[in-house]
């Protein structure tokens, strides 16, 4: 996704354009997935990630987002357990690395390359180092050992240095050797509460260095529970018949690079939006990307909520407001916007045990629909108490307030959806399911680990 602080900054636009021109995402062939015809099932968990902990590639949103989905895998020989934030909007996976300890305990949030016999730094003359690093704010360079040196930047404009390296990754099935990742120095502040185990990030977009491309995964699927944010991630060809039939929408591909179009993103065609059953009148608005690539619609597990371009957001906001103004009390503070971009908020008395019935919001795609219903359309602002009321905000926000040029569908809105990313057929399949039940069933049927 394209993010910039000021929509009128031409230098940044040119820079982004040059980066895109130089480092095109390469679509890869998915035929030789090493675990072909096998499913790897991994439980998903959600964690509150302290703001500033995750470095953001230059092309990602700059705001702090809190709740992230994590998955536990192993890296190295012998395997070290690591917990990674899943991000379908980033390319390169990276780990916080530290050589300091001579042994590693399971709660240690660092990967220790010194304890892995299969750890191999990438040489700076390798093509991986020279051509394929579009997640970095500055191109990778050579360090004094001739290793590929990389920099990742954080939301607060600080940065983290490290090396590109390769090592063996395990997802519960056969070990996958030679996976390229960023081994970043761990001189970060892990916040005051040391109870924090996340080691890094798993990049899952369509770029050539993403895990999906490196593993040549033909398909992956996930399901995020609405109650406790747990869920499952399936890597590989899955045939989970009890999910029912999926509705498919094609992945949008762009043959020419455009400044605001992220060609490595999971991009789909948005056709309309409904509130309850009322289709919004968006007849004056073009929902497709324009000649700059602005107006792209993408699914992104690395973003918590959903953001729509200003003109569309305004119409949605107005309709949602008019359908809720008799049952909910709008917060009358024009200066308040939750996470900078969600400015439709309500005051709900603390002694009110449940929210009134809420209108659903449906995103209509070419061939499929995503209905966000019930309490999922609102989010209780943490520690947002005013008087005797708690504050709830609409979970759709305004991209314009973030300086973002796209429609981004975050993981909150993807709860209780079976989401299948079918890369061979270049499409996304969706079905409304109850993910806690499906997860139990999938895990309960012994789908944990490889299957024929
Ligand atoms: C993010 O998490 C921190 C705790 O790590 C919490 O204090 C803060 O309120 C959260 N922010 C949002 C916007 O949820
Ligand atoms: C690397 O590990 C070895 C033991 O395996 C230890 O002797 C050495 O001090 C470690 N190096 C660093 C930099 O921690
Ligand atoms: C590793 O050691 C260096 C130098 O001794 C120190 O500056 C750094 O903070 C240590 N890192 C961790 C994660 O302990
Ligand atoms: C890694 O996790 C597995 C499963 O949770 C556990 O059995 C194993 O002991 C852990 N290994 C290490 C080195 O902590
Ligand atoms: C970190 O790991 C320890 C030990 O595995 C566990 O008890 C603790 O709950 C974990 N913390 C978080 C925030 O997941
Ligand atoms: C950590 O250890 C690995 C493997 O021994 C080595 O390649 C790397 O340079 C070390 N990193 C630091 C910061 O000492
Ligand atoms: C999926 O499973 C169903 C029944 O369990 C079977 O009819 C179908 O052929 C399977 N599809 C694939 C692609 O394996
Ligand atoms: C939709 O809105 C446009 C103005 O934005 C208006 O001209 C048109 O009549 C509206 N269509 C319907 C069906 O309300
Ligand atoms: C609620 O919205 C409707 C439709 O926009 C409007 O007619 C009505 O006056 C509003 N009611 C309140 C209490 O704001
Ligand atoms: C909540 O408290 C207010 C006064 O603070 C009272 O008027 C209202 O009846 C209470 N509602 C419930 C559901 O108890
Ligand atoms: C909150 O409610 C209590 C009683 O339920 C009342 O005494 C108090 O005045 C209320 N506070 C505000 C700010 O309304």
């Amino acid at each position: 996704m394209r993010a910039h602080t000021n929509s009128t900054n031409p230098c940044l636009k040119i820079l982004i354009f040059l980066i895109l021109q130089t480092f095109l995402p390469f679509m890869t062939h998915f035929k030789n997935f090493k675990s072909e015809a096998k499913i790897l099932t991994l439980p998903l968990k959600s964690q509150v990630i302290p703001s500033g902990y995750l470095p953001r590639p230059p092309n990602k949103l700059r705001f702090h987002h809190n709740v992230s989905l994590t998955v536990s895998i192993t890296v190295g020989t012998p395997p070290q357990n690591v917990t990674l934030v899943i991000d379908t909007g980033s390319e390169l996976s990276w780990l916080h690395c530290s050589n300091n300890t001579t042994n590693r305990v399971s709660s240690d949030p660092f990967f220790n390359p010194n304890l892995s016999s299969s750890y191999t730094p990438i040489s700076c003359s390798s093509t991986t180092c020279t051509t394929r690093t579009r997640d970095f704010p500055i191109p990778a360079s050579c360090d004094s050992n001739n290793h590929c040196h990389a920099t990742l930047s954080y939301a607060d404009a600080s940065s983290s240095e490290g090396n590109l390296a390769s090592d063996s990754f395990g997802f519960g099935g056969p070990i996958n050797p030679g996976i390229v990742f960023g081994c970043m120095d761990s001189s970060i502040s892990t916040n005051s509460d040391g109870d924090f185990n996340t080691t890094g990030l798993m990049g899952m977009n369509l770029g050539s260095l993403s895990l999906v491309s490196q593993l040549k995964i033909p398909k992956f699927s996930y399901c995020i529970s609405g109650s406790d944010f747990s869920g499952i991630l399936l890597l590989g060809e899955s045939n989970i018949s009890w999910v029912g039939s999926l509705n498919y929408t094609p992945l949008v591909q762009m043959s020419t690079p455009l400044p605001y179009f992220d060609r490595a993103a999971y991009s789909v065609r948005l056709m309309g939006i409904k509130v309850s059953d009322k289709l919004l009148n968006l007849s004056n608005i073009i929902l497709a990307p324009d000649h700059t690539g602005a107006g792209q619609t993408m699914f992104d597990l690395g973003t918590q909520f959903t953001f729509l371009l200003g003109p569309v957001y305004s119409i949605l906001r107005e309709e949602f407001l008019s359908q809720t103004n008799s049952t909910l009390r709008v917060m009358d503070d024009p200066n308040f916007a939750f996470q900078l971009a969600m400015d439709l908020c309500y005051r709900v008395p603390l002694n009110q045990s449940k929210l009134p019935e809420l209108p659903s919001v449906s995103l209509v795609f070419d061939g499929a629909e995503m209905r966000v219903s019930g309490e999922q359309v609102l989010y209780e602002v943490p520690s947002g108490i005013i008087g005797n009321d708690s504050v709830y905000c609409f979970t759709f926000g305004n991209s314009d307030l973030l300086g973002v040029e796209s429609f981004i569908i975050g993981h909150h809105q993807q709860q209780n959806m079976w989401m299948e990313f079918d890369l061979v057929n270049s499409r996304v399949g969706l079905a409304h399911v109850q993910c806690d039940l499906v997860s139990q069933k999938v895990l309960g049927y012994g789908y944990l680990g490889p299957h024929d």
Side-chain angles (χ1 to χ4, degrees):
M1 65 196 66
R2 307 287 127 239
H4 54 99
T5 42
N6 178 345
S7 58
T8 58
N9 184 339
C11 295
L12 195 54
K13 284 188 184 178
I14 290 164
L15 182 68
I16 290 170
F17 187 67
L18 288 176
I19 290 170
L20 281 173
Q21 289 276 354
T22 319
F23 305 112
L24 304 182
F26 300 99
M27 302 291 281
T28 40
H29 302 286
F30 300 102
K31 297 205 177 71
N32 339 316
F33 181 41
K34 293 187 184 87
S35 320
E36 193 161 30
K38 291 175 176 169
I39 314 173
L40 301 173
T41 311
L42 298 158
L44 289 177
K45 292 205 182 93
S46 81
Q47 270 194 33
V48 173
I49 305 294
S51 51
Y53 179 78
L54 286 177
R56 314 295 291 163
N59 57 347
K60 288 280 292 189
L61 292 182
R62 276 167 199 233
F63 63 95
H64 307 290
H65 63 116
N66 257 14
V67 178
S68 292
L69 293 166
T70 62
V71 69
S72 292
I73 64 166
T74 65
V75 180
T77 312
Q80 297 177 37
N81 291 342
V82 298
T83 299
L84 305 181
V85 169
I86 303 180
D87 189 354
T88 54
S90 300
E91 178 169 357
L92 187 74
S93 301
W94 57 265
L95 303 174
H96 279 304
C97 290
S98 173
N99 278 346
N100 281 19
T101 49
T102 46
N103 56 17
R104 187 174 180 273
V105 292
S106 58
S107 59
D108 198 340
F110 307 116
F111 171 70
N112 190 335
N114 190 22
L115 298 178
S116 172
S117 62
S118 46
Y119 176 85
T120 314
I122 301 281
S123 141
C124 60
S125 58
S126 114
T127 53
T128 302
C129 188
T130 53
T131 65
R132 295 175 164 188
T133 50
R134 61 181 287 283
D135 272 1
F136 298 130
I138 49 176
S141 58
C142 273
D143 69 12
S144 54
N145 298 318
N146 258 349
H147 294 160
C148 186
H149 179 87
T151 305
L152 292 175
S153 49
Y154 294 83
D156 65 359
S158 66
S159 61
S160 164
E161 314 271 314
N163 285 116
L164 283 197
S166 71
D167 209 334
S168 299
F169 278 54
F171 303 91
I175 296 294
N176 303 273
I179 300 296
V180 175
F181 66 101
C183 199
M184 309 311 287
D185 286 353
S186 55
S187 52
I188 38 107
S189 57
T190 41
N191 257 19
S192 41
D193 54 20
D195 181 26
F196 186 62
N197 303 340
T198 303
T199 313
L201 181 133
M202 187 157 128
M204 297 277 282
N205 75 6
L206 291 166
S208 60
L209 275 186
S210 88
L211 211 57
V212 172
S213 303
Q214 290 196 58
L215 293 171
K216 299 184 166 49
I217 293 173
K219 181 191 275 186
F220 69 92
S221 314
Y222 56 78
C223 203
I224 306 160
S225 152
S227 47
D228 56 359
F229 299 103
S230 62
I232 48 167
L233 170 69
L234 272 65
L235 302 177
E237 204 50 73
S238 59
N239 187 9
I240 308 294
S241 48
W242 56 78
V243 166
S245 62
L246 305 182
N247 291 319
Y248 287 96
T249 186
L251 281 171
V252 172
Q253 286 163 4
M254 183 69 75
S255 51
T256 45
L258 296 174
Y260 293 117
F261 195 93
D262 182 350
R263 298 205 290 161
Y266 295 102
S267 184
V268 294
R269 173 97 205 272
L270 181 64
M271 312 285 279
I273 298 178
K274 293 194 276 193
V275 179
S276 298
D277 285 325
K278 184 173 172 192
L279 192 61
L280 299 182
N281 176 6
L282 301 174
S283 60
N284 281 8
I285 298 167
I286 297 158
L287 293 170
D290 67 13
H291 64 285
T292 67
Q296 174 180 20
T297 299
M298 63 178 83
F299 290 111
D300 182 10
L301 275 189
T303 298
Q304 188 173 358
F305 298 108
T306 292
F307 302 96
L308 309 172
L309 290 186
V312 174
Y313 173 73
S314 303
I315 294 170
L316 171 61
R317 185 187 196 281
E318 194 183 327
E319 181 59 34
F320 191 84
L321 187 56
S322 84
Q323 290 192 28
T324 50
N325 70 358
S326 58
T327 52
L328 282 169
R329 179 176 164 206
V330 177
M331 192 173 127
D332 48 9
D333 181 353
N335 297 319
F336 182 80
F338 178 49
Q339 295 191 1
L340 307 177
M342 290 172 277
D343 63 2
L344 176 54
C345 299
Y346 301 92
R347 291 175 67 154
V348 177
L350 286 168
N351 63 358
Q352 184 173 322
S353 57
K354 65 185 188 60
L355 292 171
E357 194 156 327
L358 297 162
S360 63
V361 175
S362 303
L363 302 175
V364 183
F365 305 111
D366 182 6
E369 200 172 302
M370 174 180 254
R371 193 182 59 255
V372 182
S373 58
E375 303 199 350
Q376 235 176 297
V377 296
L378 296 184
Y379 188 82
E380 186 173 3
V381 174
S383 53
I385 307 273
I386 300 177
N388 284 334
D389 298 329
S390 43
V391 174
Y392 283 76
C393 295
F394 189 38
T395 53
F396 292 78
N398 185 349
S399 296
D400 292 10
L401 294 176
L402 299 171
V404 167
E405 308 287 342
S406 32
F407 298 92
I408 300 160
I409 303 161
H411 62 73
H412 181 87
Q413 271 75 6
Q414 298 179 49
Q415 288 168 18
N416 285 327
M417 298 288 303
W418 186 267
M419 298 287 299
E420 174 188 287
F421 293 75
D422 177 351
L423 308 174
V424 172
N425 298 304
S426 192
R427 59 184 187 168
V428 181
L430 297 86
H432 291 94
V433 296
Q434 232 184 300
C435 288
D436 46 359
L437 297 184
V438 171
S439 305
Q440 268 170 29
K441 223 164 175 177
V442 172
L443 298 171
Y445 272 69
Y447 267 89
L448 198 60
H451 269 257
D452 290 311

Short mmCIF file of all heavy atoms in Angstrom, two decimals, residues 163 219 306 393 426:
data_model
loop_
_atom_site.label_atom_id
_atom_site.label_comp_id
_atom_site.label_asym_id
_atom_site.label_seq_id
_atom_site.Cartn_x
_atom_site.Cartn_y
_atom_site.Cartn_z
N ASN A 163 21.12 -7.89 8.73
CA ASN A 163 21.61 -8.57 7.53
C ASN A 163 20.52 -9.41 6.90
O ASN A 163 19.70 -10.00 7.61
CB ASN A 163 22.76 -9.51 7.90
CG ASN A 163 24.04 -8.76 8.18
OD1 ASN A 163 24.55 -8.79 9.29
ND2 ASN A 163 24.56 -8.06 7.19
N LYS A 219 -1.57 -22.07 -2.58
CA LYS A 219 -2.80 -21.57 -1.97
C LYS A 219 -2.59 -21.46 -0.47
O LYS A 219 -1.89 -22.28 0.12
CB LYS A 219 -3.90 -22.61 -2.24
CG LYS A 219 -5.27 -22.26 -1.70
CD LYS A 219 -6.21 -23.44 -1.79
CE LYS A 219 -6.87 -23.54 -3.17
NZ LYS A 219 -7.89 -24.62 -3.20
N THR A 306 -10.42 -1.24 8.75
CA THR A 306 -10.61 -1.04 7.31
C THR A 306 -10.70 0.44 7.00
O THR A 306 -11.35 1.19 7.73
CB THR A 306 -11.88 -1.80 6.86
OG1 THR A 306 -11.62 -3.19 6.97
CG2 THR A 306 -12.27 -1.47 5.42
N CYS A 393 -16.17 3.07 18.55
CA CYS A 393 -16.03 3.71 17.25
C CYS A 393 -16.34 2.73 16.12
O CYS A 393 -16.12 1.52 16.23
CB CYS A 393 -14.61 4.26 17.07
SG CYS A 393 -14.25 5.60 18.22
N SER A 426 -5.30 -17.26 -9.27
CA SER A 426 -5.32 -15.82 -9.08
C SER A 426 -6.69 -15.30 -8.65
O SER A 426 -7.32 -14.49 -9.32
CB SER A 426 -4.87 -15.14 -10.38
OG SER A 426 -4.63 -13.78 -10.14
#
